[in-house]
Amino acid sequence: MPRPNFLAVTEFTFEGFSILEWHHRRIPFVVFLVLYLLTLASNAIILTVICLNHQFHTPMYFFLSVLSISETCYTVAIIPQMLSSLLSPQQTISIPGCATQFFFYLTFDVNNCFLLMVMGYDHYVVICKPLPAHPLWYLVIMGKKACIQLASGSWSIGLSIAIIQVSSVFSLPFCDANLISHFFCDIRSIMKFACADTTIKEFITLLISLHALVLSMVLILVSYVLIVTTILKIVSAEGRRKAFATCASHLTVVIVHYDCTSFIYLKPKSQNSLQDRLISVTYTVFTPLLNPVVKSLRNKEVKDALLRTLGRKPLS
C-alpha cells in the first residue's frame, strides 16, 4: 500500500553526468557524439550494401540487416538523452515519457538478445547440417518463410517482455524523491521511488531478465557446443580454419553483448551509481558500434561490395 501523506511524483530528473565539471564533460560529449554518428552511418551502410547487392540476399545477411535496424533503434532511444545529459546539469522527463523510453529501450535490447541467438542457430545450420546428398539443405531449412518467422519471433518476444515490464513497474505510485542517478530511465533506479512494496515487481524483473538473457545465452552455448564438435571432426586444417572464421565475429559480439547485459541486469544491487553508468555507457555506445564493424565492415565480401557500390572497384 502507498505510504500515507506522501508527495506524488509526476516527473523524474536525470542526474546524468552532473557529478562532472563542465570542462570535464565536453570531451566525452564529442567522443560519444562521434561514436553515435559512426554507429548510425555504419548501420546505414550495411543496410544499403545488403539491399543493393543480390549476393547478400541470404539468411545470414537478412538477420544481420534486422540486427542493424534493431541496434539503430536502440541507440536512438538512449544516446540522444545521454548526450543531452552531458550538456545540461539536470533534465526532467514525465513519467509517461520515462515509460515510453524504457519500453523502446527494453524492446530492442531483448530483441537483440534473441536475434543473436537466431544468428547462432543460423551458423549451426550452415556448419552442422549440410549433407553431400543435399547441397541446398541449408536453404531448405533457412528459407524465406523461416527467416521471417524467426525474426518476427524475436521482435514479438521483445515487445511482449517490454509490455509486461512497463505495465508492472509504471503501475506503481512514485513519491518523495525523483532524482534518477542515471542518464536514462533505468528500471532499478525508478523502483527506488515507489511508495509501495516492490518485492513482487522486483521478482518479475528478475524472471524477465533470466528469460531474456539466460535462455538465449544457453541456446547460443548449445549451438556453439554442436558447432565446435562438428568443426573438430573436419579433417582439413583449412576447412577448420574457415569454419572457425565463420563464427568468430558473431562469437565476439555475443561475448561483449552478454557480458555487459549480465552485469547490468543480473548483478546484485549496488550503491556505486557511477560504476553502473560507466558500464551502461559501454553497453549503449560502444557495443552497438562493435556489431556492424566486427560482423560486416571487416568482412571482405562486404567491403568489396561497398567499393563496387561507390564505383571504386570493378565487378569481378
Side-chain angles (χ1 to χ4, degrees):
M1 292 294 293
R3 293 194 298 269
N5 301 321
F6 68 87
L7 180 63
V9 170
T10 59
E11 62 182 22
F12 295 121
T13 301
F14 294 114
E15 183 181 19
F17 298 92
S18 59
I19 56 175
L20 299 176
E21 297 293 336
W22 165 244
H23 61 277
H24 290 149
R25 281 187 271 148
R26 286 178 293 181
I27 294 178
F29 174 82
V30 173
V31 172
F32 295 155
L33 177 61
V34 170
L35 291 175
Y36 176 53
L37 294 176
L38 286 174
T39 300
L40 296 180
S42 58
N43 281 313
I45 290 171
I46 290 171
L47 290 171
T48 302
V49 170
I50 291 175
C51 290
L52 295 181
N53 292 270
H54 185 73
Q55 70 186 93
F56 296 129
H57 294 178
T58 63
M60 181 180 74
Y61 288 102
F62 168 76
F63 292 127
L64 186 57
S65 63
V66 175
L67 181 63
S68 293
I69 294 172
S70 183
E71 289 282 11
T72 300
C73 296
Y74 171 81
T75 56
V76 169
I78 298 297
I79 297 183
Q81 179 66 58
M82 184 190 70
L83 294 173
S84 181
S85 297
L86 284 165
L87 291 179
S88 60
Q90 292 183 342
Q91 289 193 332
T92 59
I93 185 171
S94 66
I95 291 181
C98 190
T100 301
Q101 185 191 50
F102 180 71
F103 172 81
F104 285 110
Y105 161 76
L106 188 60
T107 297
F108 297 120
D109 193 21
V110 174
N111 179 54
N112 291 344
C113 289
F114 282 92
L115 279 175
L116 289 173
M117 181 195 74
V118 168
M119 294 172 80
Y121 173 72
D122 178 63
H123 287 311
Y124 160 75
V125 175
V126 168
I127 295 174
C128 301
K129 286 297 184 181
L131 300 173
H134 299 279
L136 298 179
W137 187 255
Y138 169 69
L139 294 180
V140 171
I141 298 176
M142 301 299 291
K144 182 178 180 180
K145 182 178 179 180
C147 291
I148 293 175
Q149 288 176 338
L150 288 169
S152 300
S154 298
W155 285 98
S156 299
I157 293 172
L159 282 170
S160 301
I161 288 179
I163 290 172
I164 294 171
Q165 183 74 93
V166 170
S167 301
S168 171
V169 173
F170 287 91
S171 62
L172 291 166
F174 300 102
C175 60
D176 295 344
N178 69 340
L179 183 62
I180 300 178
S181 56
H182 223 301
F183 53 83
F184 69 97
C185 289
D186 175 64
I187 192 66
R188 292 194 172 193
S189 300
I190 292 169
M191 281 199 285
K192 293 177 183 177
F193 308 136
C195 305
D197 182 19
T198 60
T199 303
I200 296 178
K201 309 293 184 180
E202 290 176 359
F203 181 69
I204 292 174
T205 300
L206 178 61
L207 285 181
I208 288 174
S209 300
L210 289 174
H211 177 266
L213 297 177
V214 178
L215 176 61
S216 57
M217 192 161 42
V218 167
L219 292 176
I220 290 174
L221 180 62
V222 171
S223 296
Y224 271 98
V225 168
L226 297 173
I227 288 171
V228 171
T229 302
T230 301
I231 291 175
L232 293 177
K233 294 178 181 178
I234 299 175
V235 178
S236 166
E238 179 65 16
R240 288 196 299 270
R241 186 193 66 79
K242 288 183 178 180
F244 276 120
T246 301
C247 304
S249 59
H250 177 257
L251 195 55
T252 301
V253 172
V254 165
I255 291 172
V256 175
H257 178 86
Y258 280 97
D259 277 352
C260 293
T261 309
S262 299
F263 181 88
I264 293 172
Y265 291 108
L266 300 182
K267 73 178 183 65
K269 289 183 179 180
S270 170
Q271 298 299 321
N272 192 342
S273 60
L274 179 58
Q275 182 188 56
D276 293 345
R277 269 173 278 183
L278 291 175
I279 294 295
S280 296
V281 166
T282 301
Y283 183 57
T284 56
V285 178
F286 294 98
T287 302
L289 180 60
L290 176 70
N291 290 348
V293 171
V294 171
K295 293 194 68 64
S296 298
L297 300 183
R298 290 183 69 251
N299 184 308
K300 186 177 184 302
E301 290 181 348
V302 175
K303 288 191 289 187
D304 289 346
L306 176 60
L307 291 175
R308 288 197 301 271
T309 301
L310 296 175
R312 296 184 179 182
K313 185 172 182 176
L315 185 65
S316 300

